[in-house]
Amino acid sequence: IYQTNLSAMSTDQKRAIDNVVYDDSKPEKRVKVPQPLLIRCLVPNKIAGGVIGKGGENIKNLRQICNLASIEVKSTPDCPNPEERVIQVDCSKEDIEPIFSQLIPLIHEGLSQFNNSAEPELCVLFSGNCMGSIIGKGGSNINEFRTKSNVFVKAFPQKLQNSDERVLLIKGEKENIIECLKMLFDTVEMDRKPYKMFNPADGMVYPRDQNAGGYQEASGEPQYYKPKMNKPSDYTSGAGGWGQFQRASNSPFMDYVGYPGQIPQQQQQPQDPGQQGG
C-alpha cells in the first residue's frame, strides 16, 4: 500500500481531484486521476465473481459512489484459475467509508457460503516495512487499533509468495472494520518506496508458509500447479502477466502439469507418416 505525495502533483492533477474529468468524445470513458491511497485486499477466487457482480454490476456501482476512485479485481492472465484474487482500490481517505461499507458485505456474503464465517473480515495487504509500523514497538500500535476500533487484528509474520507483502487480518463488525482502516491511514506512515506486490499466480508455483495468512492452503507444495522444467531457451521474459512471471515462448499460457483441465496442456502434434522412419 502506498500514499501519493500530493505536493509533487501538478496543478492540473490537483484540480482534477476536485473535478471529475470526462473525455467528450467517449462519454463512458473515466479519466484515471492519481489518488492518495492504494488499498489491496486478498479474497478467495471462488467468491470474486460475487464481488464483481453480474456483468460487473457491483464494481460499477462502487465506482459511481466515488467517481474518482479506481476499484478493480485484478486478473491473472498467465493463470486463469488461481486460488486467490486481489481487490485493488485507489481512493482518498474520505472514500474509505462509502466504498468499504458496500465492499465488506459483498466479501462477507461470499465467505459465509464457503467457510461459515460468522462475522465480516478483510485481509489487507501491506508491505513488510509498513507492517512493522502497524505493529509498533512491543505490539503497542496494533493493540491500540484493537482496543479503539473493537476488532480482531492479526499481522501475519511471513510474506506472501515471491512478494514483499504481508497480510493484516481485520475481523469484526462492518462499521468497526471501517473505523480500523481509517485509523490505520490516519496514524501510520505508509511505505512510499517501491516494493514487490503479491501476484496470486505465484501461489500456484511457490508454497505458502503457514504463517503467511490468506486463503490458500499452506503446504510444502503448491496447491494445484507445478511448472514444467523446460530448458531456459524455451522461455522468454516480457511475455506478459505479473512481475517476473515467465511462460513458454511458443504457447499462449505458461505450461503447467499436475492438475488436468485448468489450463490447456500443449498437445504433441502427430508426426507426418511420410516423415516416419522404417
Side-chain angles (χ1 to χ4, degrees), residues 9-16:
M9 295 173 63
S10 68
T11 303
D12 290 339
Q13 287 176 320
K14 292 178 181 178
R15 187 179 298 117

Side-chain angles (χ1 to χ4, degrees), residues 4 53 63 110 122 143-144 159 163 165 208 211-212 232 234 236 263 266 268:
T4 300
R63 289 169 178 164
L122 274 184
N143 286 332
E144 184 176 358
K159 296 176 182 179
S163 79
E165 288 188 309
R208 171 70 55 87
N211 293 314
D234 287 341
T236 177
I263 293 183
Q266 268 197 319
Q268 184 176 0

Side-chain angles (χ1 to χ4, degrees), residues 47 69 73 180 188 223 268:
I47 77 165
V73 179
C180 184
V188 176
Q223 184 68 10
Q268 184 176 0

Side-chain angles (χ1 to χ4, degrees), residues 113-127:
Q113 294 177 8
F114 294 100
N115 62 5
N116 298 319
S117 178
E119 55 185 351
E121 65 181 55
L122 274 184
C123 281
V124 189
L125 305 183
F126 292 92
S127 71

Side-chain angles (χ1 to χ4, degrees), residues 168-222:
L168 184 73
L169 173 63
I170 309 174
K171 198 167 186 176
E173 296 297 326
K174 177 184 72 174
E175 293 78 9
N176 295 341
I177 293 176
I178 293 172
E179 185 61 29
C180 184
L181 281 176
K182 291 161 68 175
M183 286 179 60
L184 282 168
F185 292 105
D186 281 336
T187 60
V188 176
E189 180 67 22
M190 296 300 162
D191 198 344
R192 296 175 182 270
K193 297 179 181 179
Y195 60 91
K196 192 168 186 179
M197 296 178 176
F198 174 63
N199 170 15
D202 285 336
M204 303 289 96
V205 180
Y206 301 96
R208 171 70 55 87
D209 190 287
Q210 62 180 356
N211 293 314
Y215 299 100
Q216 179 184 339
E217 291 187 18
S219 64
E221 295 291 340

Side-chain angles (χ1 to χ4, degrees), residues 2-4 6 17 34-38 91-93:
Y2 67 84
Q3 288 183 304
T4 300
L6 294 178
I17 287 181
Q35 294 294 295
L37 304 179
L38 174 61
C91 67
S92 65
K93 289 182 182 180

